[in-house]
Amino acid sequence: MLALLVGGLVYFVDSSLTRVDALSSYDGRVADTPGTNWLLVGSDSRAGMTPEQEAALATGGEVGPSRTDTIILIHIPEARGATTMVSLPRDSYVSVPGNGQDKLNASFALGGPPLLVQTVEGAIGVRIDHYAEIGFGGFAGIVDALGGVDVCLQSAIDDPLAGISLPAGCQELAGSDALGFVRSRATALADLDRMNNQRQFMSALLAKATSPATYLNPLRIWPLMKDTASSLSVDEGDHFWNLASLAWAMRGDLVTTTVPVAGFEDSDVGNVLLWDNERASQFFDALAQDRQIPQDLLTSGP
């Protein structure tokens, strides 16, 4: 009876996931690379949110086709070694198949998850094995299901557009403040600070989600599982146990970094971020060969 109950719960949670054809086959796709690679995407989708919820989360209302400001690559090695979390800047100037050179997040607006995955694979030379996407409301709901997440801010952040006014120091963020924190660009280095904040928050969220205080507490783990499943869009071949495996792989040692960058420049699509091509090639070649990224290529902060 216990096995049937557990099996039934797992089936219910897995069937609650929204599935999209993100990992479509296409001519010239990067061959399979060792290790397991996830592409995590945070979109500005307001799907399922009421006007009152949009106001409470300071989302600014619907703005047309979904866009993504958060694009993170997770590499889980085959053998022992630390999992690596890499921020891929949304304004990275890359080749978007069928659309010339453009910002990385333009690929999502132009062709949704399939074009984003194809663009990322072409830019980094690493095959994506799994895909997960979450919108505004889902993100806030997961944080609230955990009872909030603790973060430490080096400087205060006051951003009316993101609906937050956070003091410096360590504090617990509930869903609405957490969403504002990972969205805000009201800091000295704008998007670069935001990527650092996103990696910091993701690490703290997963640490709490995989702690015994969470997974041994039925009153905490069930709402978390249910809210996570109903909030995520994943590839058609992904399942809830894949997500659980991802969270477990990120619970311990975690390397957090961003792509080596060369700077910014103005282009026909606006101001864009340029990668340091030589260093970025070495950076992603290490991941493609399932090796730890050399220390001198890591960027620990913005």
Side-chain angles (χ1 to χ4, degrees), residues 71 73 85-90 92 94 104 120 123-124 192 195 199 256-263 273-277 279-281 283-284 287 293 297-299 301:
I71 307 169
L73 172 71
M85 179 193 300
V86 183
S87 292
L88 303 178
R90 65 170 194 161
S92 298
V94 296
L104 178 58
V120 168
I124 69 177
L192 296 180
M195 288 188 298
R199 295 195 304 272
T256 64
T257 184
T258 191
V259 182
V261 300
L273 182 144
L274 303 177
W275 293 1
D276 183 326
N277 290 331
R279 288 167 55 82
S281 178
F283 182 99
F284 289 116
L287 292 182
I293 299 171
L297 297 178
L298 297 177
T299 303

PDB file of all heavy atoms in Angstrom, residues 71 73 85-90 92 94 104 120 123-124 192 195 199 256-263 273-277 279-281 283-284 287 293 297-299 301:
ATOM      1  N   ILE A  71      19.099  32.821 -18.077  1.00  0.00           N
ATOM      2  CA  ILE A  71      19.485  31.647 -18.857  1.00  0.00           C
ATOM      3  C   ILE A  71      20.700  31.035 -18.168  1.00  0.00           C
ATOM      4  O   ILE A  71      21.757  31.665 -18.094  1.00  0.00           O
ATOM      5  CB  ILE A  71      19.830  32.012 -20.314  1.00  0.00           C
ATOM      6  CG1 ILE A  71      18.687  32.812 -20.950  1.00  0.00           C
ATOM      7  CG2 ILE A  71      20.126  30.746 -21.119  1.00  0.00           C
ATOM      8  CD1 ILE A  71      19.057  33.429 -22.285  1.00  0.00           C
ATOM      9  N   LEU A  73      23.119  27.496 -17.562  1.00  0.00           N
ATOM     10  CA  LEU A  73      23.551  26.155 -17.948  1.00  0.00           C
ATOM     11  C   LEU A  73      24.050  25.431 -16.697  1.00  0.00           C
ATOM     12  O   LEU A  73      24.855  25.978 -15.942  1.00  0.00           O
ATOM     13  CB  LEU A  73      24.690  26.242 -18.978  1.00  0.00           C
ATOM     14  CG  LEU A  73      25.381  24.926 -19.346  1.00  0.00           C
ATOM     15  CD1 LEU A  73      24.462  24.049 -20.172  1.00  0.00           C
ATOM     16  CD2 LEU A  73      26.687  25.195 -20.097  1.00  0.00           C
ATOM     17  N   MET A  85      27.467  25.684 -12.419  1.00  0.00           N
ATOM     18  CA  MET A  85      26.355  26.558 -12.795  1.00  0.00           C
ATOM     19  C   MET A  85      26.923  27.758 -13.540  1.00  0.00           C
ATOM     20  O   MET A  85      27.706  28.519 -12.989  1.00  0.00           O
ATOM     21  CB  MET A  85      25.585  27.025 -11.549  1.00  0.00           C
ATOM     22  CG  MET A  85      24.422  27.966 -11.869  1.00  0.00           C
ATOM     23  SD  MET A  85      23.757  28.791 -10.389  1.00  0.00           S
ATOM     24  CE  MET A  85      23.233  27.392  -9.408  1.00  0.00           C
ATOM     25  N   VAL A  86      26.514  27.927 -14.798  1.00  0.00           N
ATOM     26  CA  VAL A  86      27.050  28.991 -15.646  1.00  0.00           C
ATOM     27  C   VAL A  86      25.929  29.931 -16.087  1.00  0.00           C
ATOM     28  O   VAL A  86      24.959  29.498 -16.723  1.00  0.00           O
ATOM     29  CB  VAL A  86      27.732  28.415 -16.906  1.00  0.00           C
ATOM     30  CG1 VAL A  86      28.346  29.547 -17.731  1.00  0.00           C
ATOM     31  CG2 VAL A  86      28.777  27.383 -16.541  1.00  0.00           C
ATOM     32  N   SER A  87      26.059  31.209 -15.775  1.00  0.00           N
ATOM     33  CA  SER A  87      25.114  32.203 -16.282  1.00  0.00           C
ATOM     34  C   SER A  87      25.482  32.549 -17.718  1.00  0.00           C
ATOM     35  O   SER A  87      26.636  32.842 -18.024  1.00  0.00           O
ATOM     36  CB  SER A  87      25.168  33.479 -15.432  1.00  0.00           C
ATOM     37  OG  SER A  87      24.665  33.262 -14.143  1.00  0.00           O
ATOM     38  N   LEU A  88      24.478  32.504 -18.602  1.00  0.00           N
ATOM     39  CA  LEU A  88      24.660  32.919 -19.984  1.00  0.00           C
ATOM     40  C   LEU A  88      23.958  34.273 -20.139  1.00  0.00           C
ATOM     41  O   LEU A  88      22.724  34.332 -20.141  1.00  0.00           O
ATOM     42  CB  LEU A  88      24.044  31.894 -20.940  1.00  0.00           C
ATOM     43  CG  LEU A  88      24.577  30.458 -20.813  1.00  0.00           C
ATOM     44  CD1 LEU A  88      23.842  29.524 -21.776  1.00  0.00           C
ATOM     45  CD2 LEU A  88      26.073  30.404 -21.060  1.00  0.00           C
ATOM     46  N   PRO A  89      24.707  35.361 -20.229  1.00  0.00           N
ATOM     47  CA  PRO A  89      24.088  36.697 -20.250  1.00  0.00           C
ATOM     48  C   PRO A  89      23.061  36.846 -21.359  1.00  0.00           C
ATOM     49  O   PRO A  89      23.294  36.456 -22.501  1.00  0.00           O
ATOM     50  CB  PRO A  89      25.283  37.633 -20.475  1.00  0.00           C
ATOM     51  CG  PRO A  89      26.467  36.868 -19.949  1.00  0.00           C
ATOM     52  CD  PRO A  89      26.181  35.434 -20.279  1.00  0.00           C
ATOM     53  N   ARG A  90      21.941  37.422 -21.026  1.00  0.00           N
ATOM     54  CA  ARG A  90      20.833  37.564 -21.982  1.00  0.00           C
ATOM     55  C   ARG A  90      21.213  38.430 -23.172  1.00  0.00           C
ATOM     56  O   ARG A  90      20.685  38.257 -24.274  1.00  0.00           O
ATOM     57  CB  ARG A  90      19.613  38.149 -21.281  1.00  0.00           C
ATOM     58  CG  ARG A  90      19.853  39.581 -20.800  1.00  0.00           C
ATOM     59  CD  ARG A  90      18.610  40.257 -20.328  1.00  0.00           C
ATOM     60  NE  ARG A  90      18.840  41.695 -20.207  1.00  0.00           N
ATOM     61  CZ  ARG A  90      17.876  42.592 -20.165  1.00  0.00           C
ATOM     62  NH1 ARG A  90      16.627  42.218 -20.227  1.00  0.00           N
ATOM     63  NH2 ARG A  90      18.151  43.876 -20.065  1.00  0.00           N
ATOM     64  N   SER A  92      24.144  38.572 -24.610  1.00  0.00           N
ATOM     65  CA  SER A  92      25.274  38.018 -25.356  1.00  0.00           C
ATOM     66  C   SER A  92      25.007  38.115 -26.859  1.00  0.00           C
ATOM     67  O   SER A  92      23.928  37.748 -27.339  1.00  0.00           O
ATOM     68  CB  SER A  92      25.493  36.553 -24.972  1.00  0.00           C
ATOM     69  OG  SER A  92      25.824  36.424 -23.605  1.00  0.00           O
ATOM     70  N   VAL A  94      25.282  36.736 -30.219  1.00  0.00           N
ATOM     71  CA  VAL A  94      25.516  35.391 -30.754  1.00  0.00           C
ATOM     72  C   VAL A  94      24.803  35.227 -32.090  1.00  0.00           C
ATOM     73  O   VAL A  94      23.974  36.056 -32.490  1.00  0.00           O
ATOM     74  CB  VAL A  94      25.026  34.305 -29.768  1.00  0.00           C
ATOM     75  CG1 VAL A  94      25.813  34.349 -28.464  1.00  0.00           C
ATOM     76  CG2 VAL A  94      23.526  34.457 -29.501  1.00  0.00           C
ATOM     77  N   LEU A 104      21.172  36.946 -27.206  1.00  0.00           N
ATOM     78  CA  LEU A 104      20.805  35.567 -26.898  1.00  0.00           C
ATOM     79  C   LEU A 104      19.331  35.440 -26.562  1.00  0.00           C
ATOM     80  O   LEU A 104      18.649  34.512 -27.019  1.00  0.00           O
ATOM     81  CB  LEU A 104      21.666  35.041 -25.740  1.00  0.00           C
ATOM     82  CG  LEU A 104      21.377  33.624 -25.252  1.00  0.00           C
ATOM     83  CD1 LEU A 104      21.521  32.617 -26.383  1.00  0.00           C
ATOM     84  CD2 LEU A 104      22.319  33.263 -24.098  1.00  0.00           C
ATOM     85  N   VAL A 120      21.933  28.240 -28.085  1.00  0.00           N
ATOM     86  CA  VAL A 120      22.895  27.975 -27.012  1.00  0.00           C
ATOM     87  C   VAL A 120      23.864  26.874 -27.432  1.00  0.00           C
ATOM     88  O   VAL A 120      25.086  27.007 -27.276  1.00  0.00           O
ATOM     89  CB  VAL A 120      22.166  27.596 -25.708  1.00  0.00           C
ATOM     90  CG1 VAL A 120      23.159  27.044 -24.678  1.00  0.00           C
ATOM     91  CG2 VAL A 120      21.443  28.809 -25.132  1.00  0.00           C
ATOM     92  N   ALA A 123      26.391  28.133 -29.836  1.00  0.00           N
ATOM     93  CA  ALA A 123      27.327  29.105 -29.268  1.00  0.00           C
ATOM     94  C   ALA A 123      28.368  28.454 -28.363  1.00  0.00           C
ATOM     95  O   ALA A 123      29.515  28.906 -28.296  1.00  0.00           O
ATOM     96  CB  ALA A 123      26.559  30.175 -28.489  1.00  0.00           C
ATOM     97  N   ILE A 124      27.993  27.372 -27.661  1.00  0.00           N
ATOM     98  CA  ILE A 124      28.900  26.809 -26.653  1.00  0.00           C
ATOM     99  C   ILE A 124      29.480  25.455 -27.036  1.00  0.00           C
ATOM    100  O   ILE A 124      30.427  24.986 -26.397  1.00  0.00           O
ATOM    101  CB  ILE A 124      28.205  26.706 -25.278  1.00  0.00           C
ATOM    102  CG1 ILE A 124      27.111  25.638 -25.282  1.00  0.00           C
ATOM    103  CG2 ILE A 124      27.632  28.064 -24.869  1.00  0.00           C
ATOM    104  CD1 ILE A 124      26.441  25.444 -23.919  1.00  0.00           C
ATOM    105  N   LEU A 192      25.103  42.368 -14.884  1.00  0.00           N
ATOM    106  CA  LEU A 192      26.155  41.516 -14.339  1.00  0.00           C
ATOM    107  C   LEU A 192      25.895  41.239 -12.858  1.00  0.00           C
ATOM    108  O   LEU A 192      26.095  40.119 -12.375  1.00  0.00           O
ATOM    109  CB  LEU A 192      27.525  42.162 -14.540  1.00  0.00           C
ATOM    110  CG  LEU A 192      27.952  42.340 -15.996  1.00  0.00           C
ATOM    111  CD1 LEU A 192      29.337  42.987 -16.070  1.00  0.00           C
ATOM    112  CD2 LEU A 192      27.953  41.006 -16.740  1.00  0.00           C
ATOM    113  N   MET A 195      22.977  38.672 -12.636  1.00  0.00           N
ATOM    114  CA  MET A 195      23.368  37.274 -12.837  1.00  0.00           C
ATOM    115  C   MET A 195      24.011  36.702 -11.578  1.00  0.00           C
ATOM    116  O   MET A 195      23.759  35.554 -11.203  1.00  0.00           O
ATOM    117  CB  MET A 195      24.328  37.158 -14.021  1.00  0.00           C
ATOM    118  CG  MET A 195      23.670  37.362 -15.368  1.00  0.00           C
ATOM    119  SD  MET A 195      24.777  36.978 -16.743  1.00  0.00           S
ATOM    120  CE  MET A 195      26.076  38.178 -16.487  1.00  0.00           C
ATOM    121  N   ARG A 199      22.514  33.489  -9.360  1.00  0.00           N
ATOM    122  CA  ARG A 199      23.258  32.280  -8.981  1.00  0.00           C
ATOM    123  C   ARG A 199      23.285  32.120  -7.464  1.00  0.00           C
ATOM    124  O   ARG A 199      23.140  31.012  -6.940  1.00  0.00           O
ATOM    125  CB  ARG A 199      24.683  32.336  -9.544  1.00  0.00           C
ATOM    126  CG  ARG A 199      24.743  32.303 -11.052  1.00  0.00           C
ATOM    127  CD  ARG A 199      26.151  31.984 -11.549  1.00  0.00           C
ATOM    128  NE  ARG A 199      27.157  32.898 -11.054  1.00  0.00           N
ATOM    129  CZ  ARG A 199      27.494  34.035 -11.646  1.00  0.00           C
ATOM    130  NH1 ARG A 199      26.882  34.423 -12.765  1.00  0.00           N
ATOM    131  NH2 ARG A 199      28.441  34.806 -11.140  1.00  0.00           N
ATOM    132  N   THR A 256      30.010  28.171  -9.310  1.00  0.00           N
ATOM    133  CA  THR A 256      29.132  29.154  -9.933  1.00  0.00           C
ATOM    134  C   THR A 256      29.979  30.186 -10.660  1.00  0.00           C
ATOM    135  O   THR A 256      30.936  30.717 -10.105  1.00  0.00           O
ATOM    136  CB  THR A 256      28.233  29.850  -8.896  1.00  0.00           C
ATOM    137  OG1 THR A 256      29.035  30.600  -7.984  1.00  0.00           O
ATOM    138  CG2 THR A 256      27.414  28.825  -8.130  1.00  0.00           C
ATOM    139  N   THR A 257      29.609  30.465 -11.892  1.00  0.00           N
ATOM    140  CA  THR A 257      30.437  31.351 -12.709  1.00  0.00           C
ATOM    141  C   THR A 257      29.603  31.904 -13.856  1.00  0.00           C
ATOM    142  O   THR A 257      28.424  31.578 -14.002  1.00  0.00           O
ATOM    143  CB  THR A 257      31.669  30.588 -13.251  1.00  0.00           C
ATOM    144  OG1 THR A 257      32.518  31.479 -13.960  1.00  0.00           O
ATOM    145  CG2 THR A 257      31.246  29.438 -14.161  1.00  0.00           C
ATOM    146  N   THR A 258      30.215  32.739 -14.670  1.00  0.00           N
ATOM    147  CA  THR A 258      29.590  33.217 -15.895  1.00  0.00           C
ATOM    148  C   THR A 258      30.577  33.079 -17.035  1.00  0.00           C
ATOM    149  O   THR A 258      31.749  32.754 -16.824  1.00  0.00           O
ATOM    150  CB  THR A 258      29.121  34.679 -15.762  1.00  0.00           C
ATOM    151  OG1 THR A 258      28.304  35.021 -16.884  1.00  0.00           O
ATOM    152  CG2 THR A 258      30.298  35.638 -15.689  1.00  0.00           C
ATOM    153  N   VAL A 259      30.106  33.282 -18.244  1.00  0.00           N
ATOM    154  CA  VAL A 259      30.964  33.186 -19.424  1.00  0.00           C
ATOM    155  C   VAL A 259      32.041  34.276 -19.361  1.00  0.00           C
ATOM    156  O   VAL A 259      31.729  35.406 -18.995  1.00  0.00           O
ATOM    157  CB  VAL A 259      30.119  33.383 -20.703  1.00  0.00           C
ATOM    158  CG1 VAL A 259      30.978  33.229 -21.948  1.00  0.00           C
ATOM    159  CG2 VAL A 259      28.957  32.423 -20.737  1.00  0.00           C
ATOM    160  N   PRO A 260      33.285  33.984 -19.720  1.00  0.00           N
ATOM    161  CA  PRO A 260      34.299  35.042 -19.798  1.00  0.00           C
ATOM    162  C   PRO A 260      33.864  36.112 -20.806  1.00  0.00           C
ATOM    163  O   PRO A 260      33.514  35.793 -21.951  1.00  0.00           O
ATOM    164  CB  PRO A 260      35.550  34.304 -20.283  1.00  0.00           C
ATOM    165  CG  PRO A 260      35.347  32.882 -19.867  1.00  0.00           C
ATOM    166  CD  PRO A 260      33.862  32.648 -20.004  1.00  0.00           C
ATOM    167  N   VAL A 261      33.810  37.353 -20.383  1.00  0.00           N
ATOM    168  CA  VAL A 261      33.313  38.425 -21.247  1.00  0.00           C
ATOM    169  C   VAL A 261      34.439  39.385 -21.614  1.00  0.00           C
ATOM    170  O   VAL A 261      35.411  39.556 -20.867  1.00  0.00           O
ATOM    171  CB  VAL A 261      32.162  39.198 -20.576  1.00  0.00           C
ATOM    172  CG1 VAL A 261      31.000  38.258 -20.279  1.00  0.00           C
ATOM    173  CG2 VAL A 261      32.634  39.888 -19.311  1.00  0.00           C
ATOM    174  N   ALA A 262      34.282  40.022 -22.769  1.00  0.00           N
ATOM    175  CA  ALA A 262      35.274  40.980 -23.254  1.00  0.00           C
ATOM    176  C   ALA A 262      34.803  42.416 -23.086  1.00  0.00           C
ATOM    177  O   ALA A 262      35.606  43.348 -23.124  1.00  0.00           O
ATOM    178  CB  ALA A 262      35.591  40.699 -24.720  1.00  0.00           C
ATOM    179  N   GLY A 263      33.498  42.619 -22.923  1.00  0.00           N
ATOM    180  CA  GLY A 263      32.984  43.981 -22.769  1.00  0.00           C
ATOM    181  C   GLY A 263      31.679  44.162 -23.513  1.00  0.00           C
ATOM    182  O   GLY A 263      31.013  43.193 -23.896  1.00  0.00           O
ATOM    183  N   LEU A 273      26.561  42.383 -25.269  1.00  0.00           N
ATOM    184  CA  LEU A 273      27.700  41.894 -24.489  1.00  0.00           C
ATOM    185  C   LEU A 273      28.518  40.940 -25.359  1.00  0.00           C
ATOM    186  O   LEU A 273      27.958  40.030 -25.976  1.00  0.00           O
ATOM    187  CB  LEU A 273      27.205  41.190 -23.229  1.00  0.00           C
ATOM    188  CG  LEU A 273      28.281  40.662 -22.268  1.00  0.00           C
ATOM    189  CD1 LEU A 273      27.828  40.802 -20.818  1.00  0.00           C
ATOM    190  CD2 LEU A 273      28.591  39.180 -22.554  1.00  0.00           C
ATOM    191  N   LEU A 274      29.821  41.159 -25.392  1.00  0.00           N
ATOM    192  CA  LEU A 274      30.717  40.334 -26.191  1.00  0.00           C
ATOM    193  C   LEU A 274      31.460  39.350 -25.299  1.00  0.00           C
ATOM    194  O   LEU A 274      31.942  39.712 -24.228  1.00  0.00           O
ATOM    195  CB  LEU A 274      31.736  41.213 -26.932  1.00  0.00           C
ATOM    196  CG  LEU A 274      31.163  42.302 -27.845  1.00  0.00           C
ATOM    197  CD1 LEU A 274      32.304  43.121 -28.445  1.00  0.00           C
ATOM    198  CD2 LEU A 274      30.304  41.683 -28.942  1.00  0.00           C
ATOM    199  N   TRP A 275      31.527  38.111 -25.731  1.00  0.00           N
ATOM    200  CA  TRP A 275      32.314  37.119 -25.015  1.00  0.00           C
ATOM    201  C   TRP A 275      33.782  37.270 -25.375  1.00  0.00           C
ATOM    202  O   TRP A 275      34.129  37.724 -26.479  1.00  0.00           O
ATOM    203  CB  TRP A 275      31.863  35.703 -25.394  1.00  0.00           C
ATOM    204  CG  TRP A 275      30.483  35.354 -24.941  1.00  0.00           C
ATOM    205  CD1 TRP A 275      29.608  36.158 -24.260  1.00  0.00           C
ATOM    206  CD2 TRP A 275      29.799  34.110 -25.153  1.00  0.00           C
ATOM    207  NE1 TRP A 275      28.431  35.489 -24.034  1.00  0.00           N
ATOM    208  CE2 TRP A 275      28.518  34.239 -24.562  1.00  0.00           C
ATOM    209  CE3 TRP A 275      30.141  32.909 -25.767  1.00  0.00           C
ATOM    210  CZ2 TRP A 275      27.587  33.210 -24.576  1.00  0.00           C
ATOM    211  CZ3 TRP A 275      29.208  31.876 -25.794  1.00  0.00           C
ATOM    212  CH2 TRP A 275      27.953  32.023 -25.199  1.00  0.00           C
ATOM    213  N   ASP A 276      34.644  36.899 -24.448  1.00  0.00           N
ATOM    214  CA  ASP A 276      36.071  36.782 -24.730  1.00  0.00           C
ATOM    215  C   ASP A 276      36.243  35.457 -25.470  1.00  0.00           C
ATOM    216  O   ASP A 276      36.265  34.391 -24.856  1.00  0.00           O
ATOM    217  CB  ASP A 276      36.864  36.791 -23.417  1.00  0.00           C
ATOM    218  CG  ASP A 276      38.364  36.735 -23.615  1.00  0.00           C
ATOM    219  OD1 ASP A 276      38.809  36.082 -24.582  1.00  0.00           O
ATOM    220  OD2 ASP A 276      39.097  37.316 -22.806  1.00  0.00           O
ATOM    221  N   ASN A 277      36.319  35.520 -26.797  1.00  0.00           N
ATOM    222  CA  ASN A 277      36.235  34.305 -27.614  1.00  0.00           C
ATOM    223  C   ASN A 277      37.270  33.255 -27.259  1.00  0.00           C
ATOM    224  O   ASN A 277      36.961  32.063 -27.181  1.00  0.00           O
ATOM    225  CB  ASN A 277      36.336  34.665 -29.098  1.00  0.00           C
ATOM    226  CG  ASN A 277      35.106  35.389 -29.603  1.00  0.00           C
ATOM    227  OD1 ASN A 277      34.003  35.184 -29.098  1.00  0.00           O
ATOM    228  ND2 ASN A 277      35.284  36.255 -30.577  1.00  0.00           N
ATOM    229  N   ARG A 279      39.014  32.804 -24.380  1.00  0.00           N
ATOM    230  CA  ARG A 279      38.777  32.240 -23.050  1.00  0.00           C
ATOM    231  C   ARG A 279      37.460  31.471 -23.005  1.00  0.00           C
ATOM    232  O   ARG A 279      37.361  30.424 -22.364  1.00  0.00           O
ATOM    233  CB  ARG A 279      38.787  33.363 -22.004  1.00  0.00           C
ATOM    234  CG  ARG A 279      40.179  33.925 -21.751  1.00  0.00           C
ATOM    235  CD  ARG A 279      40.123  35.246 -20.964  1.00  0.00           C
ATOM    236  NE  ARG A 279      39.385  35.116 -19.720  1.00  0.00           N
ATOM    237  CZ  ARG A 279      39.894  34.640 -18.589  1.00  0.00           C
ATOM    238  NH1 ARG A 279      41.148  34.217 -18.556  1.00  0.00           N
ATOM    239  NH2 ARG A 279      39.155  34.568 -17.494  1.00  0.00           N
ATOM    240  N   ALA A 280      36.421  31.973 -23.695  1.00  0.00           N
ATOM    241  CA  ALA A 280      35.134  31.274 -23.717  1.00  0.00           C
ATOM    242  C   ALA A 280      35.273  29.922 -24.412  1.00  0.00           C
ATOM    243  O   ALA A 280      34.642  28.939 -24.006  1.00  0.00           O
ATOM    244  CB  ALA A 280      34.090  32.131 -24.415  1.00  0.00           C
ATOM    245  N   SER A 281      36.106  29.850 -25.462  1.00  0.00           N
ATOM    246  CA  SER A 281      36.325  28.580 -26.154  1.00  0.00           C
ATOM    247  C   SER A 281      36.957  27.557 -25.213  1.00  0.00           C
ATOM    248  O   SER A 281      36.544  26.395 -25.173  1.00  0.00           O
ATOM    249  CB  SER A 281      37.215  28.808 -27.374  1.00  0.00           C
ATOM    250  OG  SER A 281      37.486  27.587 -28.026  1.00  0.00           O
ATOM    251  N   PHE A 283      36.805  27.648 -21.948  1.00  0.00           N
ATOM    252  CA  PHE A 283      35.805  27.472 -20.890  1.00  0.00           C
ATOM    253  C   PHE A 283      34.816  26.361 -21.270  1.00  0.00           C
ATOM    254  O   PHE A 283      34.619  25.385 -20.523  1.00  0.00           O
ATOM    255  CB  PHE A 283      35.094  28.817 -20.712  1.00  0.00           C
ATOM    256  CG  PHE A 283      34.055  28.889 -19.634  1.00  0.00           C
ATOM    257  CD1 PHE A 283      34.354  29.430 -18.399  1.00  0.00           C
ATOM    258  CD2 PHE A 283      32.747  28.467 -19.869  1.00  0.00           C
ATOM    259  CE1 PHE A 283      33.373  29.545 -17.407  1.00  0.00           C
ATOM    260  CE2 PHE A 283      31.774  28.566 -18.896  1.00  0.00           C
ATOM    261  CZ  PHE A 283      32.090  29.108 -17.661  1.00  0.00           C
ATOM    262  N   PHE A 284      34.196  26.490 -22.441  1.00  0.00           N
ATOM    263  CA  PHE A 284      33.187  25.518 -22.847  1.00  0.00           C
ATOM    264  C   PHE A 284      33.799  24.216 -23.353  1.00  0.00           C
ATOM    265  O   PHE A 284      33.148  23.164 -23.281  1.00  0.00           O
ATOM    266  CB  PHE A 284      32.254  26.128 -23.884  1.00  0.00           C
ATOM    267  CG  PHE A 284      31.327  27.165 -23.314  1.00  0.00           C
ATOM    268  CD1 PHE A 284      31.398  28.487 -23.720  1.00  0.00           C
ATOM    269  CD2 PHE A 284      30.396  26.819 -22.347  1.00  0.00           C
ATOM    270  CE1 PHE A 284      30.547  29.442 -23.172  1.00  0.00           C
ATOM    271  CE2 PHE A 284      29.543  27.766 -21.791  1.00  0.00           C
ATOM    272  CZ  PHE A 284      29.626  29.089 -22.213  1.00  0.00           C
ATOM    273  N   LEU A 287      33.908  21.929 -20.410  1.00  0.00           N
ATOM    274  CA  LEU A 287      32.614  21.310 -20.116  1.00  0.00           C
ATOM    275  C   LEU A 287      32.270  20.237 -21.148  1.00  0.00           C
ATOM    276  O   LEU A 287      31.730  19.185 -20.798  1.00  0.00           O
ATOM    277  CB  LEU A 287      31.516  22.366 -20.082  1.00  0.00           C
ATOM    278  CG  LEU A 287      31.560  23.389 -18.942  1.00  0.00           C
ATOM    279  CD1 LEU A 287      30.372  24.325 -19.028  1.00  0.00           C
ATOM    280  CD2 LEU A 287      31.607  22.703 -17.584  1.00  0.00           C
ATOM    281  N   ILE A 293      36.332  23.321 -15.141  1.00  0.00           N
ATOM    282  CA  ILE A 293      36.815  24.523 -15.808  1.00  0.00           C
ATOM    283  C   ILE A 293      38.064  25.036 -15.084  1.00  0.00           C
ATOM    284  O   ILE A 293      38.067  25.129 -13.854  1.00  0.00           O
ATOM    285  CB  ILE A 293      35.727  25.612 -15.810  1.00  0.00           C
ATOM    286  CG1 ILE A 293      34.493  25.118 -16.573  1.00  0.00           C
ATOM    287  CG2 ILE A 293      36.239  26.910 -16.427  1.00  0.00           C
ATOM    288  CD1 ILE A 293      33.293  26.027 -16.436  1.00  0.00           C
ATOM    289  N   LEU A 297      39.745  30.709 -15.494  1.00  0.00           N
ATOM    290  CA  LEU A 297      38.662  31.077 -16.397  1.00  0.00           C
ATOM    291  C   LEU A 297      37.362  31.332 -15.655  1.00  0.00           C
ATOM    292  O   LEU A 297      36.362  31.747 -16.259  1.00  0.00           O
ATOM    293  CB  LEU A 297      38.436  29.972 -17.437  1.00  0.00           C
ATOM    294  CG  LEU A 297      39.591  29.669 -18.392  1.00  0.00           C
ATOM    295  CD1 LEU A 297      39.229  28.526 -19.334  1.00  0.00           C
ATOM    296  CD2 LEU A 297      39.978  30.921 -19.191  1.00  0.00           C
ATOM    297  N   LEU A 298      37.350  31.074 -14.351  1.00  0.00           N
ATOM    298  CA  LEU A 298      36.129  31.251 -13.562  1.00  0.00           C
ATOM    299  C   LEU A 298      35.944  32.704 -13.157  1.00  0.00           C
ATOM    300  O   LEU A 298      36.906  33.406 -12.844  1.00  0.00           O
ATOM    301  CB  LEU A 298      36.173  30.369 -12.320  1.00  0.00           C
ATOM    302  CG  LEU A 298      36.213  28.849 -12.551  1.00  0.00           C
ATOM    303  CD1 LEU A 298      36.324  28.115 -11.212  1.00  0.00           C
ATOM    304  CD2 LEU A 298      34.967  28.380 -13.310  1.00  0.00           C
ATOM    305  N   THR A 299      34.696  33.125 -13.140  1.00  0.00           N
ATOM    306  CA  THR A 299      34.340  34.449 -12.649  1.00  0.00           C
ATOM    307  C   THR A 299      33.420  34.251 -11.468  1.00  0.00           C
ATOM    308  O   THR A 299      32.257  33.855 -11.631  1.00  0.00           O
ATOM    309  CB  THR A 299      33.609  35.267 -13.749  1.00  0.00           C
ATOM    310  OG1 THR A 299      34.438  35.336 -14.896  1.00  0.00           O
ATOM    311  CG2 THR A 299      33.322  36.676 -13.264  1.00  0.00           C
ATOM    312  N   GLY A 301      32.301  36.428  -9.312  1.00  0.00           N
ATOM    313  CA  GLY A 301      31.362  37.527  -9.076  1.00  0.00           C
ATOM    314  C   GLY A 301      31.182  38.321 -10.336  1.00  0.00           C
ATOM    315  O   GLY A 301      31.687  37.959 -11.392  1.00  0.00           O
TER     316      GLY A 301
END
